[in-house]
Amino acid sequence: MSQLFYLKECSSTNDEISKFLLYENSDFIGLHTFNQTKGRGQYGNIWTQTAGKNLAYTLAVNTQNILCSDFIFNYYTAIIVRDFLAKLADHDVKIKWPNDIILKGKKIVGILIEKRKINQNNYFIIGAGINVLQENFNEISNAGSLLTQTGQKFALEELSLSFHEYLSGKLKNVPSDQTVLNNFNDHLFRKDEISVFEIEKERQNGIIRNADIRGELWIELEEGMRSFYHKEVKLLY
C-alpha cells in the first residue's frame, strides 16, 4: 500500500521514516517536508536546503520484492528520478555517477539510498532532495534548482504528490539488469567527453566511458582505462 505523509519540519526524512512504517506489510511509504534541518547526502555529506523552497522526500521500499542487486537498484532509482524531472522540465536531464541529477549543467537533486531493518523487515530507504524554488546557492557554484534552470515555478505540494506516485509506480516493476544499465549509461553526465577529474588529490584529464554492473565507473585516462568506486574519483565541472 502506497501512502505519502507530511511533516511541517524535521531533521531528516530518512531518519524519520521509520515512525511511519507501522504495519508488517508497510511498503512504498513516503514522507516529505519542505523544511529539513539536518539532511544527509552520500557518505556523510551534509545536504542543506532553504526552508519552504525545496522538497525533502523519503520512500521506504520493502526489499523482499526487489530481486536485483543493490547497484542496479541505485541505478534504476536514479533513472526514474531523471525521467520524472525530464518530463517536468521539458529538457534533457543527466545522471552524474552514481546518482546526482543534473539539469543544464547544475545539480538539482541529490539521492541517498540506505538499507535498514525496521520492525523485522528490510527496507531500501530512498532519500531525495529536490531543489525546486531556491534561487541563491551562495558558494555552491554547481548547484541549481528547477526555477533557476527552467524559469518555471512549481507548486511544492503538487510536485511532491506527483513525484511520490511516479517513483512508487515505477519501482514496482524493475526491468532487467541490462536494460537498467543501458538506460543509465545513455543518460550519464559527460559520457564520452573530455573532463577534468581529481584522483588521489591530483587533477587529470579523462573521458567517462561507462558505468558497470558492479557500481564502478570506467574512465579513459592518459595511461589507459581505469575503474573507480565512488569517492575514489571526483568529477570537476
Side-chain angles (χ1 to χ4, degrees):
M1 182 178 178
S2 175
Q3 286 181 283
L4 179 62
F5 295 94
Y6 170 75
L7 287 175
K8 188 175 180 180
E9 176 185 314
C10 73
S11 57
S12 164
T13 52
N14 266 30
D15 292 341
E16 295 287 339
I17 190 68
S18 59
K19 298 174 184 176
F20 296 85
L21 303 176
L22 303 176
Y23 305 105
E24 200 171 299
N25 64 343
S26 291
D27 202 3
F28 297 102
I29 302 299
L31 174 66
H32 71 297
T33 185
F34 307 128
N35 188 10
Q36 179 171 261
T37 57
K38 293 181 181 177
R40 289 180 288 114
Q42 284 276 4
Y43 299 89
N45 294 331
I46 303 300
W47 179 255
T48 56
Q49 292 186 315
T50 301
K53 298 284 187 181
N54 305 311
L55 169 63
Y57 168 89
T58 294
L59 180 69
V61 179
N62 197 312
T63 63
Q64 67 180 353
N65 298 318
I66 304 296
L67 304 179
C68 62
S69 71
D70 291 0
F71 292 122
I72 290 295
F73 185 83
N74 288 0
Y75 286 167
Y76 185 52
T77 301
I79 290 165
I80 298 169
V81 177
R82 188 223 78 90
D83 289 351
F84 175 80
L85 290 161
K87 289 182 174 71
L88 206 63
D90 193 24
H91 197 279
D92 191 26
V93 178
K94 297 293 186 183
I95 302 167
K96 178 177 169 284
W97 176 87
N99 54 12
D100 286 341
I101 307 301
I102 307 292
L103 173 57
K104 295 169 77 172
K106 299 287 186 180
K107 175 180 171 179
I108 61 166
V109 182
I111 301 170
L112 173 66
I113 301 178
E114 303 170 295
K115 239 179 171 178
R116 209 180 296 163
K117 191 166 189 173
I118 302 168
N119 298 337
Q120 306 308 308
N121 288 313
N122 291 309
Y123 290 94
F124 283 113
I125 305 298
I126 305 167
I130 304 179
N131 295 333
V132 183
L133 297 171
Q134 189 169 335
E135 294 181 85
N136 186 2
F137 292 90
N138 298 322
E139 302 302 314
I140 310 173
S141 61
N142 61 359
S145 68
L146 281 167
L147 177 58
T148 63
Q149 301 309 99
T150 69
Q152 298 180 67
K153 289 188 176 182
F154 294 91
L156 286 172
E157 192 59 58
E158 187 180 314
L159 183 145
S160 305
L161 183 58
S162 297
F163 182 61
H164 174 70
E165 289 177 349
Y166 190 83
L167 188 62
S168 300
K170 291 290 184 180
L171 282 171
K172 288 171 183 172
N173 294 289
V174 181
S176 70
D177 289 3
Q178 195 58 52
T179 298
V180 171
L181 195 59
N182 291 345
N183 201 337
F184 187 87
N185 280 302
D186 283 345
H187 297 291
L188 195 54
F189 182 56
R190 296 201 63 80
K191 183 176 182 287
D192 299 326
E193 299 178 30
I194 297 173
S195 302
V196 181
F197 301 89
E198 190 175 281
I199 303 167
E200 296 168 356
K201 297 183 178 179
E202 291 188 1
R203 293 191 174 193
Q204 293 188 47
N205 289 336
I207 301 172
I208 292 172
R209 290 306 187 193
N210 68 285
D212 70 17
I213 204 161
R214 296 180 302 277
E216 295 176 83
L217 185 70
W218 287 86
I219 301 174
E220 186 177 340
L221 301 168
E222 289 178 9
E223 68 266 26
M225 291 286 287
R226 276 182 65 185
S227 65
F228 298 89
Y229 280 112
H230 193 39
K231 289 297 181 184
E232 292 181 343
V233 61
K234 182 179 181 181
L235 170 62
L236 305 176
Y237 70 102

